[in-house]
Amino acid sequence: MSLNFLIRAALFLIVGLLLAFSALAAPDEEVRLSADSLVFDREQGDVKAEGDVLILQGEIELRSDQARWDEKNGDIYCDGSVRMNSPQGIVTADSLTYNFQTGRGEMANGQIAMPGRIYLSGSKIETLGKNSYKIVDGRFTSCAGERPTWSFGAQQIDVNLGHFAQAKNARFYIFDLPVLYLPYLAFPAKTERSSGFLMPTVGSSSRRGTQISIPWYQVLSVDQDATLTLDSMSRIGVGTGLEYRYFINTVRPARLSGNYVTGIDGEPDRYLVEWQHDGFLSGDTRLVINSQYVNSDDYLELFGGSSQEYTSDSVRSDLYLSKLWGKTNLTGLARYTRGLTQNTSTVLQTLPQIGLTVVPQRFLATPLVTALEIDWSNFWRQTGTTGSRLRLLPTLSTDALSTRYLNVLPAIAWREQFYRVDAESHRIGRPEASLTIGNRLARIYRRPDDLTALRHALELQLKYLYAPGVDTTDIATFDLYDDFSEINRLHLFLDNRWTTRQKSEDGLSIYRDFVNLRLSVDYDLHEQRRSLSLPDENRHPFSPLFTELEIRPFERVYLRTDVATDIDEKPGQMEGLAVWGGINDQAGNGLLLNYSYKRTDFEFFSIGVDLAFMAPFYANYEGRFDLQENQTLDYRTSLEYRSGCWSVSGSWSERPGDRTFAINFSLSNITGKKLSPLTDPLNRWF
């Protein structure tokens, strides 16, 4: 038996012992061995290597002070500062023994550092198979270092790699101090996503009582996972929630979830069902579902996580289908709305609406452009007028009058609508015309290095719309399409846009609209000609002047304002104002501001702050304020401490009728929040 063969066998078995890892280099890869001394004893059947032993094969590197192979009983021994590096992790030990005939082995004072920040150690580690072993007097943690912040310890830990590790009579240690006894413990021994319990959240609410939430995370496949949650609320009841996430034939991650709360002490049962899906069934057939339904009017008031939810006056379910054939698009829509502040029986439902759109296209070789819109809608409700409507809108336009410097686009259309209401049929129609005149100018400013460029685009457009008024006394009114009032209006639109182009390090062009200013106003010719019925009555032909300004000087900084200014009765008086602003440094610090104002109606202000500069302490604050009534509407604040392998957070929130406190403690890789690769974290700033 050759020396090279024995060295190869020894290496294969040493690596096999280090057992926690399954992917070994192919046996035919080159083996390189170095040591201060290498001796082969044919009579004893031993191969001995001593002094700075190094064995290399593929991506595996094994070091020890000495190694010995016993051919008679099949044992291999490594002793003194044993260390192996491989793609599967790092193993260190004082010594190890392995028998390739039985597949069993033993490691003394061993430590295993697995990918994904999982660390195992024990005074003795026995191998029971390729991926299974027993740890005696062992510890488990996700904290690096010789003295981890936390760890679980037990007299014996049984590990099945790729599945779970289990321990009986375990203790939870803070540093080396035992603080919690657990009769049984199971934790994932995996480096990829794994199923298991997440850390419970406990808290107290003045409306819901003492709260305990226990979630279970379940991996279903590469593109599917789910979270099952059990909630106990001492004043409301017990809730059971399921959230299923998938990325199957969708353009973005989809989510189907539900929650059922069994009421106690006279509280009713409440439930919520939600479905968000956007994907393709086959070919160009697209299915979009955005559905939410609750059975009780106060569900969102009780459990809504944001002000937008718990102040909602309705919930809506939409199912949308579309099929594209070239320049023709067939669509279908079903919409059901449940009222939370009004009787749902009177809410008009669209069940269903079917539409056909032919986008503008040139007619043969002529300068004429044709377009067509057709839709049929069925309107239903339990109480009130119901019926159906067929709407036809063919359009004819031309660009023959346009020149190089001026776009002139006249268009004519005929709007015809057919109704079937209470077993009676009605029909109404009228011509509609428009004339659009405008142009778009652009100039590009370049730096000498040609790496940065600035483009300024200016667009000015004047549009005239006309349609005669038609008597609609006998026509049911379902939505805005049923309005046949006279239209005789001018619309002026001005758009200023500044766009930057920069080259990235890999040579790609990055564009950003860093300033965009829009002005628009309407002038109603019909209102200008209207007869005055009272001596002190005034005409109001001008709409408010709408100004929109959006500024993005940097990638993570933006400011937007929408202003409506009266130019009719009281020129210069502000009718409405909305301001949004935000900044995020990508390090966890961020600021979000919003101000909304409508004259004589409301004035609100909201703020959101994320602070990470105090790391490892992280703070968050969100609040809404009614400036007209000079009162706080709601707020939420939280503080979190994050260590390298654990975190603890507490939050306090207050809103009308409820005060809530919650606390959460998580251990990295064990009980912390599992971030599903199916759901991108919500970017709350942009």
PDB file of all heavy atoms in Angstrom, residues 142-174:
ATOM      1  N   SER A 142     -25.539  32.372  18.852  1.00  0.00           N
ATOM      2  CA  SER A 142     -25.256  33.063  17.589  1.00  0.00           C
ATOM      3  C   SER A 142     -24.314  34.230  17.840  1.00  0.00           C
ATOM      4  O   SER A 142     -24.155  35.090  16.968  1.00  0.00           O
ATOM      5  CB  SER A 142     -26.559  33.561  16.950  1.00  0.00           C
ATOM      6  OG  SER A 142     -27.194  34.521  17.777  1.00  0.00           O
ATOM      7  N   CYS A 143     -23.707  34.277  19.021  1.00  0.00           N
ATOM      8  CA  CYS A 143     -22.755  35.332  19.378  1.00  0.00           C
ATOM      9  C   CYS A 143     -21.332  34.828  19.173  1.00  0.00           C
ATOM     10  O   CYS A 143     -20.968  33.758  19.656  1.00  0.00           O
ATOM     11  CB  CYS A 143     -22.932  35.758  20.832  1.00  0.00           C
ATOM     12  SG  CYS A 143     -24.563  36.416  21.221  1.00  0.00           S
ATOM     13  N   ALA A 144     -20.545  35.625  18.477  1.00  0.00           N
ATOM     14  CA  ALA A 144     -19.151  35.264  18.274  1.00  0.00           C
ATOM     15  C   ALA A 144     -18.344  35.599  19.533  1.00  0.00           C
ATOM     16  O   ALA A 144     -18.769  36.381  20.376  1.00  0.00           O
ATOM     17  CB  ALA A 144     -18.592  35.997  17.061  1.00  0.00           C
ATOM     18  N   GLY A 145     -17.170  34.990  19.659  1.00  0.00           N
ATOM     19  CA  GLY A 145     -16.296  35.289  20.782  1.00  0.00           C
ATOM     20  C   GLY A 145     -16.233  34.154  21.786  1.00  0.00           C
ATOM     21  O   GLY A 145     -17.097  33.272  21.820  1.00  0.00           O
ATOM     22  N   GLU A 146     -15.190  34.194  22.597  1.00  0.00           N
ATOM     23  CA  GLU A 146     -15.011  33.138  23.588  1.00  0.00           C
ATOM     24  C   GLU A 146     -16.027  33.242  24.721  1.00  0.00           C
ATOM     25  O   GLU A 146     -16.334  32.250  25.371  1.00  0.00           O
ATOM     26  CB  GLU A 146     -13.590  33.199  24.163  1.00  0.00           C
ATOM     27  CG  GLU A 146     -12.502  32.937  23.128  1.00  0.00           C
ATOM     28  CD  GLU A 146     -11.127  32.950  23.732  1.00  0.00           C
ATOM     29  OE1 GLU A 146     -11.024  33.208  24.957  1.00  0.00           O
ATOM     30  OE2 GLU A 146     -10.148  32.707  23.001  1.00  0.00           O
ATOM     31  N   ARG A 147     -16.544  34.439  24.979  1.00  0.00           N
ATOM     32  CA  ARG A 147     -17.507  34.627  26.071  1.00  0.00           C
ATOM     33  C   ARG A 147     -18.760  35.282  25.487  1.00  0.00           C
ATOM     34  O   ARG A 147     -18.931  36.497  25.547  1.00  0.00           O
ATOM     35  CB  ARG A 147     -16.895  35.493  27.167  1.00  0.00           C
ATOM     36  CG  ARG A 147     -17.692  35.523  28.466  1.00  0.00           C
ATOM     37  CD  ARG A 147     -16.838  36.116  29.576  1.00  0.00           C
ATOM     38  NE  ARG A 147     -17.583  36.186  30.821  1.00  0.00           N
ATOM     39  CZ  ARG A 147     -18.099  37.311  31.321  1.00  0.00           C
ATOM     40  NH1 ARG A 147     -17.962  38.455  30.658  1.00  0.00           N
ATOM     41  NH2 ARG A 147     -18.755  37.298  32.469  1.00  0.00           N
ATOM     42  N   PRO A 148     -19.645  34.497  24.881  1.00  0.00           N
ATOM     43  CA  PRO A 148     -20.812  35.063  24.199  1.00  0.00           C
ATOM     44  C   PRO A 148     -21.771  35.739  25.169  1.00  0.00           C
ATOM     45  O   PRO A 148     -21.875  35.358  26.340  1.00  0.00           O
ATOM     46  CB  PRO A 148     -21.459  33.841  23.541  1.00  0.00           C
ATOM     47  CG  PRO A 148     -20.991  32.678  24.346  1.00  0.00           C
ATOM     48  CD  PRO A 148     -19.611  33.031  24.801  1.00  0.00           C
ATOM     49  N   THR A 149     -22.488  36.748  24.635  1.00  0.00           N
ATOM     50  CA  THR A 149     -23.451  37.476  25.460  1.00  0.00           C
ATOM     51  C   THR A 149     -24.537  36.552  25.975  1.00  0.00           C
ATOM     52  O   THR A 149     -24.968  36.657  27.119  1.00  0.00           O
ATOM     53  CB  THR A 149     -24.071  38.619  24.644  1.00  0.00           C
ATOM     54  OG1 THR A 149     -23.025  39.433  24.122  1.00  0.00           O
ATOM     55  CG2 THR A 149     -24.991  39.462  25.503  1.00  0.00           C
ATOM     56  N   TRP A 150     -25.012  35.646  25.109  1.00  0.00           N
ATOM     57  CA  TRP A 150     -26.025  34.678  25.529  1.00  0.00           C
ATOM     58  C   TRP A 150     -25.707  33.327  24.904  1.00  0.00           C
ATOM     59  O   TRP A 150     -25.040  33.239  23.866  1.00  0.00           O
ATOM     60  CB  TRP A 150     -27.435  35.122  25.143  1.00  0.00           C
ATOM     61  CG  TRP A 150     -27.681  35.149  23.646  1.00  0.00           C
ATOM     62  CD1 TRP A 150     -27.566  36.208  22.816  1.00  0.00           C
ATOM     63  CD2 TRP A 150     -28.075  34.036  22.836  1.00  0.00           C
ATOM     64  NE1 TRP A 150     -27.841  35.849  21.529  1.00  0.00           N
ATOM     65  CE2 TRP A 150     -28.176  34.520  21.509  1.00  0.00           C
ATOM     66  CE3 TRP A 150     -28.347  32.693  23.080  1.00  0.00           C
ATOM     67  CZ2 TRP A 150     -28.534  33.700  20.438  1.00  0.00           C
ATOM     68  CZ3 TRP A 150     -28.712  31.868  22.017  1.00  0.00           C
ATOM     69  CH2 TRP A 150     -28.804  32.369  20.721  1.00  0.00           C
ATOM     70  N   SER A 151     -26.230  32.297  25.513  1.00  0.00           N
ATOM     71  CA  SER A 151     -26.083  30.950  24.970  1.00  0.00           C
ATOM     72  C   SER A 151     -27.066  30.017  25.649  1.00  0.00           C
ATOM     73  O   SER A 151     -27.560  30.304  26.749  1.00  0.00           O
ATOM     74  CB  SER A 151     -24.648  30.427  25.147  1.00  0.00           C
ATOM     75  OG  SER A 151     -24.345  30.329  26.531  1.00  0.00           O
ATOM     76  N   PHE A 152     -27.379  28.912  24.970  1.00  0.00           N
ATOM     77  CA  PHE A 152     -28.134  27.816  25.568  1.00  0.00           C
ATOM     78  C   PHE A 152     -27.143  26.691  25.870  1.00  0.00           C
ATOM     79  O   PHE A 152     -26.288  26.369  25.031  1.00  0.00           O
ATOM     80  CB  PHE A 152     -29.220  27.301  24.619  1.00  0.00           C
ATOM     81  CG  PHE A 152     -30.393  28.226  24.491  1.00  0.00           C
ATOM     82  CD1 PHE A 152     -30.566  29.005  23.361  1.00  0.00           C
ATOM     83  CD2 PHE A 152     -31.333  28.315  25.510  1.00  0.00           C
ATOM     84  CE1 PHE A 152     -31.647  29.851  23.238  1.00  0.00           C
ATOM     85  CE2 PHE A 152     -32.424  29.161  25.393  1.00  0.00           C
ATOM     86  CZ  PHE A 152     -32.578  29.939  24.258  1.00  0.00           C
ATOM     87  N   GLY A 153     -27.249  26.104  27.047  1.00  0.00           N
ATOM     88  CA  GLY A 153     -26.363  25.019  27.423  1.00  0.00           C
ATOM     89  C   GLY A 153     -27.139  23.823  27.943  1.00  0.00           C
ATOM     90  O   GLY A 153     -28.238  23.967  28.487  1.00  0.00           O
ATOM     91  N   ALA A 154     -26.567  22.632  27.752  1.00  0.00           N
ATOM     92  CA  ALA A 154     -27.208  21.407  28.235  1.00  0.00           C
ATOM     93  C   ALA A 154     -26.144  20.335  28.400  1.00  0.00           C
ATOM     94  O   ALA A 154     -25.062  20.407  27.788  1.00  0.00           O
ATOM     95  CB  ALA A 154     -28.299  20.938  27.279  1.00  0.00           C
ATOM     96  N   GLN A 155     -26.468  19.342  29.208  1.00  0.00           N
ATOM     97  CA  GLN A 155     -25.551  18.229  29.391  1.00  0.00           C
ATOM     98  C   GLN A 155     -25.370  17.462  28.100  1.00  0.00           C
ATOM     99  O   GLN A 155     -24.294  16.941  27.815  1.00  0.00           O
ATOM    100  CB  GLN A 155     -26.071  17.285  30.499  1.00  0.00           C
ATOM    101  CG  GLN A 155     -25.111  16.164  30.875  1.00  0.00           C
ATOM    102  CD  GLN A 155     -23.812  16.691  31.488  1.00  0.00           C
ATOM    103  OE1 GLN A 155     -23.815  17.685  32.199  1.00  0.00           O
ATOM    104  NE2 GLN A 155     -22.701  16.024  31.190  1.00  0.00           N
ATOM    105  N   GLN A 156     -26.441  17.430  27.269  1.00  0.00           N
ATOM    106  CA  GLN A 156     -26.333  16.734  25.979  1.00  0.00           C
ATOM    107  C   GLN A 156     -27.199  17.451  24.950  1.00  0.00           C
ATOM    108  O   GLN A 156     -28.341  17.798  25.217  1.00  0.00           O
ATOM    109  CB  GLN A 156     -26.774  15.274  26.104  1.00  0.00           C
ATOM    110  CG  GLN A 156     -26.728  14.523  24.784  1.00  0.00           C
ATOM    111  CD  GLN A 156     -27.091  13.056  24.940  1.00  0.00           C
ATOM    112  OE1 GLN A 156     -26.639  12.389  25.883  1.00  0.00           O
ATOM    113  NE2 GLN A 156     -27.913  12.540  24.032  1.00  0.00           N
ATOM    114  N   ILE A 157     -26.620  17.681  23.769  1.00  0.00           N
ATOM    115  CA  ILE A 157     -27.337  18.288  22.661  1.00  0.00           C
ATOM    116  C   ILE A 157     -27.217  17.357  21.456  1.00  0.00           C
ATOM    117  O   ILE A 157     -26.104  16.989  21.063  1.00  0.00           O
ATOM    118  CB  ILE A 157     -26.772  19.678  22.302  1.00  0.00           C
ATOM    119  CG1 ILE A 157     -26.816  20.606  23.519  1.00  0.00           C
ATOM    120  CG2 ILE A 157     -27.537  20.297  21.146  1.00  0.00           C
ATOM    121  CD1 ILE A 157     -26.175  21.968  23.260  1.00  0.00           C
ATOM    122  N   ASP A 158     -28.347  16.950  20.899  1.00  0.00           N
ATOM    123  CA  ASP A 158     -28.373  16.085  19.715  1.00  0.00           C
ATOM    124  C   ASP A 158     -28.647  16.948  18.486  1.00  0.00           C
ATOM    125  O   ASP A 158     -29.665  17.656  18.417  1.00  0.00           O
ATOM    126  CB  ASP A 158     -29.456  15.014  19.848  1.00  0.00           C
ATOM    127  CG  ASP A 158     -29.191  14.090  21.029  1.00  0.00           C
ATOM    128  OD1 ASP A 158     -28.044  13.648  21.167  1.00  0.00           O
ATOM    129  OD2 ASP A 158     -30.129  13.840  21.809  1.00  0.00           O
ATOM    130  N   VAL A 159     -27.732  16.867  17.515  1.00  0.00           N
ATOM    131  CA  VAL A 159     -27.799  17.744  16.349  1.00  0.00           C
ATOM    132  C   VAL A 159     -27.975  16.918  15.089  1.00  0.00           C
ATOM    133  O   VAL A 159     -27.250  15.940  14.869  1.00  0.00           O
ATOM    134  CB  VAL A 159     -26.525  18.607  16.239  1.00  0.00           C
ATOM    135  CG1 VAL A 159     -26.609  19.529  15.026  1.00  0.00           C
ATOM    136  CG2 VAL A 159     -26.315  19.409  17.512  1.00  0.00           C
ATOM    137  N   ASN A 160     -28.948  17.331  14.264  1.00  0.00           N
ATOM    138  CA  ASN A 160     -29.150  16.755  12.934  1.00  0.00           C
ATOM    139  C   ASN A 160     -29.047  17.905  11.941  1.00  0.00           C
ATOM    140  O   ASN A 160     -29.978  18.682  11.767  1.00  0.00           O
ATOM    141  CB  ASN A 160     -30.516  16.076  12.840  1.00  0.00           C
ATOM    142  CG  ASN A 160     -30.690  15.322  11.533  1.00  0.00           C
ATOM    143  OD1 ASN A 160     -29.779  15.272  10.708  1.00  0.00           O
ATOM    144  ND2 ASN A 160     -31.865  14.740  11.339  1.00  0.00           N
ATOM    145  N   LEU A 161     -27.879  18.038  11.320  1.00  0.00           N
ATOM    146  CA  LEU A 161     -27.634  19.173  10.445  1.00  0.00           C
ATOM    147  C   LEU A 161     -28.639  19.213   9.304  1.00  0.00           C
ATOM    148  O   LEU A 161     -28.975  18.191   8.713  1.00  0.00           O
ATOM    149  CB  LEU A 161     -26.218  19.112   9.879  1.00  0.00           C
ATOM    150  CG  LEU A 161     -25.094  19.382  10.875  1.00  0.00           C
ATOM    151  CD1 LEU A 161     -23.761  19.247  10.193  1.00  0.00           C
ATOM    152  CD2 LEU A 161     -25.256  20.748  11.488  1.00  0.00           C
ATOM    153  N   GLY A 162     -29.104  20.408   9.003  1.00  0.00           N
ATOM    154  CA  GLY A 162     -30.137  20.581   7.994  1.00  0.00           C
ATOM    155  C   GLY A 162     -31.521  20.478   8.580  1.00  0.00           C
ATOM    156  O   GLY A 162     -32.503  20.734   7.884  1.00  0.00           O
ATOM    157  N   HIS A 163     -31.632  20.108   9.862  1.00  0.00           N
ATOM    158  CA  HIS A 163     -32.934  19.985  10.519  1.00  0.00           C
ATOM    159  C   HIS A 163     -32.889  20.758  11.844  1.00  0.00           C
ATOM    160  O   HIS A 163     -32.900  21.968  11.847  1.00  0.00           O
ATOM    161  CB  HIS A 163     -33.290  18.506  10.712  1.00  0.00           C
ATOM    162  CG  HIS A 163     -33.413  17.766   9.416  1.00  0.00           C
ATOM    163  ND1 HIS A 163     -34.521  17.847   8.612  1.00  0.00           N
ATOM    164  CD2 HIS A 163     -32.526  16.960   8.762  1.00  0.00           C
ATOM    165  CE1 HIS A 163     -34.341  17.110   7.522  1.00  0.00           C
ATOM    166  NE2 HIS A 163     -33.142  16.565   7.589  1.00  0.00           N
ATOM    167  N   PHE A 164     -32.857  20.031  12.958  1.00  0.00           N
ATOM    168  CA  PHE A 164     -32.920  20.702  14.253  1.00  0.00           C
ATOM    169  C   PHE A 164     -31.877  20.129  15.204  1.00  0.00           C
ATOM    170  O   PHE A 164     -31.401  19.003  15.041  1.00  0.00           O
ATOM    171  CB  PHE A 164     -34.315  20.552  14.879  1.00  0.00           C
ATOM    172  CG  PHE A 164     -35.365  21.398  14.230  1.00  0.00           C
ATOM    173  CD1 PHE A 164     -36.096  20.911  13.159  1.00  0.00           C
ATOM    174  CD2 PHE A 164     -35.614  22.689  14.673  1.00  0.00           C
ATOM    175  CE1 PHE A 164     -37.056  21.693  12.555  1.00  0.00           C
ATOM    176  CE2 PHE A 164     -36.572  23.475  14.074  1.00  0.00           C
ATOM    177  CZ  PHE A 164     -37.301  22.976  13.012  1.00  0.00           C
ATOM    178  N   ALA A 165     -31.565  20.933  16.211  1.00  0.00           N
ATOM    179  CA  ALA A 165     -30.804  20.474  17.366  1.00  0.00           C
ATOM    180  C   ALA A 165     -31.748  20.466  18.564  1.00  0.00           C
ATOM    181  O   ALA A 165     -32.580  21.363  18.715  1.00  0.00           O
ATOM    182  CB  ALA A 165     -29.611  21.386  17.622  1.00  0.00           C
ATOM    183  N   GLN A 166     -31.645  19.434  19.409  1.00  0.00           N
ATOM    184  CA  GLN A 166     -32.560  19.268  20.531  1.00  0.00           C
ATOM    185  C   GLN A 166     -31.767  19.058  21.818  1.00  0.00           C
ATOM    186  O   GLN A 166     -30.698  18.443  21.802  1.00  0.00           O
ATOM    187  CB  GLN A 166     -33.492  18.073  20.305  1.00  0.00           C
ATOM    188  CG  GLN A 166     -34.292  18.163  19.013  1.00  0.00           C
ATOM    189  CD  GLN A 166     -35.133  16.928  18.786  1.00  0.00           C
ATOM    190  OE1 GLN A 166     -36.090  16.658  19.532  1.00  0.00           O
ATOM    191  NE2 GLN A 166     -34.778  16.164  17.769  1.00  0.00           N
ATOM    192  N   ALA A 167     -32.316  19.579  22.899  1.00  0.00           N
ATOM    193  CA  ALA A 167     -31.644  19.442  24.190  1.00  0.00           C
ATOM    194  C   ALA A 167     -32.694  19.300  25.283  1.00  0.00           C
ATOM    195  O   ALA A 167     -33.765  19.917  25.228  1.00  0.00           O
ATOM    196  CB  ALA A 167     -30.747  20.643  24.464  1.00  0.00           C
ATOM    197  N   LYS A 168     -32.403  18.506  26.275  1.00  0.00           N
ATOM    198  CA  LYS A 168     -33.250  18.358  27.459  1.00  0.00           C
ATOM    199  C   LYS A 168     -32.547  19.005  28.656  1.00  0.00           C
ATOM    200  O   LYS A 168     -31.326  19.026  28.734  1.00  0.00           O
ATOM    201  CB  LYS A 168     -33.512  16.881  27.743  1.00  0.00           C
ATOM    202  CG  LYS A 168     -34.311  16.178  26.659  1.00  0.00           C
ATOM    203  CD  LYS A 168     -34.543  14.713  27.015  1.00  0.00           C
ATOM    204  CE  LYS A 168     -35.354  14.006  25.927  1.00  0.00           C
ATOM    205  NZ  LYS A 168     -35.586  12.576  26.247  1.00  0.00           N
ATOM    206  N   ASN A 169     -33.386  19.516  29.559  1.00  0.00           N
ATOM    207  CA  ASN A 169     -32.867  20.173  30.764  1.00  0.00           C
ATOM    208  C   ASN A 169     -31.841  21.250  30.394  1.00  0.00           C
ATOM    209  O   ASN A 169     -30.717  21.279  30.896  1.00  0.00           O
ATOM    210  CB  ASN A 169     -32.244  19.137  31.711  1.00  0.00           C
ATOM    211  CG  ASN A 169     -33.255  18.111  32.175  1.00  0.00           C
ATOM    212  OD1 ASN A 169     -34.409  18.453  32.459  1.00  0.00           O
ATOM    213  ND2 ASN A 169     -32.847  16.844  32.238  1.00  0.00           N
ATOM    214  N   ALA A 170     -32.269  22.123  29.484  1.00  0.00           N
ATOM    215  CA  ALA A 170     -31.377  23.180  29.000  1.00  0.00           C
ATOM    216  C   ALA A 170     -31.451  24.406  29.902  1.00  0.00           C
ATOM    217  O   ALA A 170     -32.434  24.621  30.621  1.00  0.00           O
ATOM    218  CB  ALA A 170     -31.744  23.555  27.568  1.00  0.00           C
ATOM    219  N   ARG A 171     -30.433  25.216  29.837  1.00  0.00           N
ATOM    220  CA  ARG A 171     -30.380  26.475  30.578  1.00  0.00           C
ATOM    221  C   ARG A 171     -30.008  27.607  29.627  1.00  0.00           C
ATOM    222  O   ARG A 171     -29.209  27.421  28.707  1.00  0.00           O
ATOM    223  CB  ARG A 171     -29.366  26.387  31.725  1.00  0.00           C
ATOM    224  CG  ARG A 171     -29.825  25.508  32.879  1.00  0.00           C
ATOM    225  CD  ARG A 171     -28.728  25.361  33.927  1.00  0.00           C
ATOM    226  NE  ARG A 171     -29.202  24.661  35.118  1.00  0.00           N
ATOM    227  CZ  ARG A 171     -29.302  23.344  35.209  1.00  0.00           C
ATOM    228  NH1 ARG A 171     -28.954  22.584  34.176  1.00  0.00           N
ATOM    229  NH2 ARG A 171     -29.745  22.787  36.319  1.00  0.00           N
ATOM    230  N   PHE A 172     -30.601  28.764  29.896  1.00  0.00           N
ATOM    231  CA  PHE A 172     -30.286  29.952  29.118  1.00  0.00           C
ATOM    232  C   PHE A 172     -29.306  30.792  29.923  1.00  0.00           C
ATOM    233  O   PHE A 172     -29.554  31.125  31.082  1.00  0.00           O
ATOM    234  CB  PHE A 172     -31.554  30.752  28.813  1.00  0.00           C
ATOM    235  CG  PHE A 172     -31.291  32.024  28.056  1.00  0.00           C
ATOM    236  CD1 PHE A 172     -30.815  31.993  26.763  1.00  0.00           C
ATOM    237  CD2 PHE A 172     -31.529  33.257  28.652  1.00  0.00           C
ATOM    238  CE1 PHE A 172     -30.571  33.158  26.064  1.00  0.00           C
ATOM    239  CE2 PHE A 172     -31.291  34.430  27.969  1.00  0.00           C
ATOM    240  CZ  PHE A 172     -30.803  34.391  26.667  1.00  0.00           C
ATOM    241  N   TYR A 173     -28.172  31.139  29.308  1.00  0.00           N
ATOM    242  CA  TYR A 173     -27.105  31.853  29.994  1.00  0.00           C
ATOM    243  C   TYR A 173     -26.979  33.280  29.461  1.00  0.00           C
ATOM    244  O   TYR A 173     -27.032  33.525  28.246  1.00  0.00           O
ATOM    245  CB  TYR A 173     -25.757  31.152  29.783  1.00  0.00           C
ATOM    246  CG  TYR A 173     -25.624  29.814  30.474  1.00  0.00           C
ATOM    247  CD1 TYR A 173     -26.072  28.640  29.864  1.00  0.00           C
ATOM    248  CD2 TYR A 173     -25.031  29.716  31.732  1.00  0.00           C
ATOM    249  CE1 TYR A 173     -25.945  27.410  30.486  1.00  0.00           C
ATOM    250  CE2 TYR A 173     -24.892  28.489  32.365  1.00  0.00           C
ATOM    251  CZ  TYR A 173     -25.362  27.345  31.737  1.00  0.00           C
ATOM    252  OH  TYR A 173     -25.217  26.127  32.373  1.00  0.00           O
ATOM    253  N   ILE A 174     -26.823  34.237  30.361  1.00  0.00           N
ATOM    254  CA  ILE A 174     -26.358  35.578  30.026  1.00  0.00           C
ATOM    255  C   ILE A 174     -24.893  35.612  30.428  1.00  0.00           C
ATOM    256  O   ILE A 174     -24.569  35.521  31.625  1.00  0.00           O
ATOM    257  CB  ILE A 174     -27.154  36.664  30.758  1.00  0.00           C
ATOM    258  CG1 ILE A 174     -28.632  36.596  30.353  1.00  0.00           C
ATOM    259  CG2 ILE A 174     -26.577  38.037  30.457  1.00  0.00           C
ATOM    260  CD1 ILE A 174     -28.899  36.888  28.883  1.00  0.00           C
TER     261      ILE A 174
END
